[in-house]
Amino acid sequence: MPHTTTVVIGAGQAGLAMSRCLSGLGVEHVVLERGELAQRWRTQSWDSLHLLTPNWMTRLPGFEYDGTDPDGFMSVPELIALFERYAAESRAPIVTGTTVERVERADGGFRVASNRGVWSSESVVIATGYCDRPAVPAASRRLAPSIAQIVPADYRRPDQLPAGNVLVVGASSTGVQIADEIQQSGRQVTLAVGRHTRLPRQYRGDDIMRWLDRLGVLSQPAEAVHDIETSRQQPSLQLVGRSDHSSLDLGMLHADGVRLVGRVRDIADHAISLAADDLLTTMAAADIKMAEILMRIDQVITTNGLPATAPEPFRPTWPLADSPESLNLEAEGINTVIWATGYRRAYPWLRVPVLDARGEIVHEGGITPAFGLYVLGMNFQRRRNSSFINGVGDDARVIAEQIAHSMARGRVA
Ligand SMILES: Cc1cc2nc3c(=O)[nH]c(=O)nc-3n(C[C@H](O)[C@H](O)[C@H](O)COP(=O)(O)OP(=O)(O)OC[C@H]3O[C@@H](n4cnc5c(N)ncnc54)[C@H](O)[C@@H]3O)c2cc1C
């Protein structure tokens, strides 16, 4: 059984950042990856997907974006190429095609069993991703079998879908992008709108991410928010990364013919019951939240005398909804439902008791209650951008230091 100080599970951005930081501190380790490096991006992205974070935000420990278009938005193949370059420069000890099947305590450390052998280690870093598995409502099981159901990880392009109209459930970044693409392809899309975070792509002459960065919103630490569990459940930003830097919001989708309806409440065969009563509230809440953020940007501009163009007129979303209480898929000619309803995580291979009642890893800033076991890449792990490419590095540094410190003390904490 090979022995190493640290086994890192997963070679996405989190695993790569972790490896770089461990190498920097001289900690011997191995990165076990079930597929290829950046497997999730390779296999679970739709064809037209570009990052919603601008290129200047594509940075990892020891790496800053060095291309010619810092304000552009990378395609997935470009991102994979960048991760490959980063891994090569970092000399990351990645073992691909190796699925971890069991992690358990052994001899004061860990025994990590995979389909390609067993490793023993003093510490383990779980970097298997926050967007691990689709979170599809249980009601989906009551949908008529004739309706195709698909999750964003399996969506590639509109012509892959069966003929007919489409219901997209979920109006965060993924839901609005997919709804837009399918509508543009000539099909009628109905978009069921739940909680979402509306933001314009650009505001007062700069990208919204630049403003959020200046406000310190992206790097806001977990201790600074009132209720970290609530903050961790905030919907993702309703943004898209396009070469024309355009926004994509519900008002624009409505103008393009997408039908906006309320949250899916229940399903019986072809009948979908909708939360008509909360649609206006949901949209108004997103508008108010956005107005609040834009006001904070205005304040920063005024206080610091920053160069900026005049504020753009604010267009509320709420008058756009028709709010039906139900939808009959057969009558609407809808043959496909796309569940853009977020992600969950599952650790069936983890035999160390660190999971809470929801099956989430209990941790504080990535440090679990089990001696030597860490998790990386979780939403708002230590900072708001912990699960983003530009945020995971800070968390990786802290965990690497913890591991190195424990080694120096002759034990792994
Ligand atoms: C559609 C979408 C768009 C996004 N856009 C952006 C963006 O624009 N900007 C941004 O900063 N962030 C974005 N994110 C968020 C985040 O950057 C990604 O989710 C990213 O993939 C997270 O990287 P990660 O390394 O934490 O996890 P992952 O990329 O999920 O990597 C986990 C790795 O672990 C491997 N693995 C899992 N289980 C095992 C096992 N048992 N054994 C061995 N290996 C295993 C997987 O194969 C995978 O390679 C986006 C996320 C999604 C879903």
Side-chain angles (χ1 to χ4, degrees):
M1 182 187 335
H3 179 84
T4 184
T5 304
T6 307
V7 170
V8 179
I9 308 173
Q13 73 214 20
L16 297 180
M18 193 67 232
S19 173
R20 177 76 164 229
C21 294
L22 289 171
S23 293
L25 294 171
V27 179
E28 194 204 353
H29 65 282
V30 65
V31 182
L32 304 182
E33 166 56 54
R34 64 181 170 188
E36 306 253 330
L37 176 163
Q39 176 74 2
R40 194 89 65 185
W41 291 107
R42 287 177 202 272
T43 58
Q44 299 190 1
S45 305
W46 59 95
D47 295 352
S48 65
L49 177 64
H50 280 64
L51 290 186
L52 58 84
T53 46
N55 291 338
W56 60 266
M57 284 181 69
T58 303
R59 52 188 174 206
L60 287 166
F63 174 85
E64 291 284 331
Y65 174 77
D66 54 3
T68 53
D69 187 16
D71 297 319
F73 303 98
M74 220 170 269
S75 68
V76 172
E78 287 168 330
L79 181 67
I80 293 168
L82 187 145
F83 283 158
E84 279 172 344
R85 176 155 72 96
Y86 181 69
E89 282 171 14
S90 307
R91 299 212 174 99
I94 304 172
V95 185
T96 55
T98 305
T99 304
V100 170
E101 294 170 339
R102 197 177 178 98
V103 174
E104 62 196 347
R105 278 281 183 210
D107 304 325
F110 297 92
R111 183 178 179 277
V112 180
S114 79
N115 61 331
R116 298 199 31 209
V118 178
W119 277 259
S120 75
S121 67
E122 279 121 61
S123 50
V124 168
V125 181
I126 298 169
T128 50
Y130 184 76
C131 301
D132 182 20
R133 306 196 179 188
V136 177
S140 63
R141 291 198 282 270
R142 295 193 286 278
L143 199 57
S146 59
I147 305 290
Q149 300 192 50
I150 177 168
V151 293
D154 296 327
Y155 171 77
R156 297 292 170 270
R157 66 197 82 83
D159 66 16
Q160 136 206 33
L161 306 176
N165 297 329
V166 177
L167 169 66
V168 177
V169 184
S172 281
S173 173
T174 296
V176 293
Q177 287 185 59
I178 291 177
D180 182 51
E181 178 168 90
I182 298 172
Q183 181 76 21
Q184 299 295 339
S185 77
R187 298 171 191 233
Q188 174 62 52
V189 173
T190 301
L191 178 61
V193 178
R195 266 184 344 123
H196 57 278
T197 307
R198 183 185 170 199
L199 279 179
R201 180 74 264 176
Q202 295 215 303
Y203 185 62
R204 301 197 62 179
D206 215 339
D207 191 90
I208 192 70
M209 287 296 185
R210 283 265 186 219
W211 291 121
L212 295 182
D213 193 39
R214 285 186 192 119
L215 284 179
V217 169
L218 300 176
S219 56
Q220 188 179 26
E223 313 81 75
V225 299
H226 174 62
D227 175 359
I228 186 63
E229 281 315 315
T230 307
S231 295
R232 282 180 177 147
Q233 270 145 47
Q234 287 298 311
S236 69
L237 307 177
Q238 202 183 57
L239 284 175
V240 58
R242 289 178 171 158
S243 54
D244 64 357
H245 300 260
S246 56
S247 298
L248 183 59
D249 60 28
L250 298 178
M252 300 170 81
L253 288 173
H254 175 80
D256 283 341
V258 172
R259 185 181 184 198
L260 307 177
V261 299
R263 200 165 36 83
V264 169
R265 217 199 291 266
D266 206 357
I267 299 176
D269 211 34
H270 285 97
I272 309 260
S273 110
L274 300 166
D277 43 352
D278 75 2
L279 179 58
L280 290 188
T281 328
T282 310
M283 297 203 290
D287 283 1
I288 291 167
K289 181 78 190 153
M290 179 172 96
E292 192 187 305
I293 293 172
L294 300 185
M295 257 169 52
R296 285 176 62 193
I297 295 172
D298 291 342
Q299 275 165 6
V300 166
I301 291 170
T302 311
T303 312
N304 300 293
L306 298 176
T309 55
E312 288 83 3
F314 179 79
R315 290 194 186 82
T317 322
W318 61 267
L320 304 174
D322 62 0
S323 295
E325 286 181 355
S326 63
L327 206 59
N328 186 296
L329 299 185
E330 213 165 19
E332 301 280 344
I334 294 176
N335 293 330
T336 307
V337 174
I338 301 183
W339 296 104
T341 36
Y343 298 89
R344 64 185 180 86
R345 288 135 298 286
Y347 307 96
W349 40 266
L350 184 58
R351 305 299 161 92
V352 184
V354 292
L355 300 182
D356 66 14
R358 297 165 304 160
E360 299 285 358
I361 295 178
V362 175
H363 70 91
E364 217 161 286
I367 300 169
T368 79
F371 214 52
L373 184 66
Y374 305 89
V375 63
L376 183 62
M378 294 293 100
N379 196 23
F380 220 141
Q381 179 162 317
R382 291 183 65 252
R383 295 177 186 275
R384 196 178 288 280
N385 59 4
S386 284
S387 59
F388 279 46
I389 299 164
N390 82 322
V392 72
D394 285 338
D395 294 3
R397 270 186 212 100
V398 172
I399 292 174
E401 277 161 17
Q402 176 93 11
I403 291 171
H405 181 67
S406 305
M407 275 170 60
R409 287 198 337 241
R411 58 193 284 248
V412 174

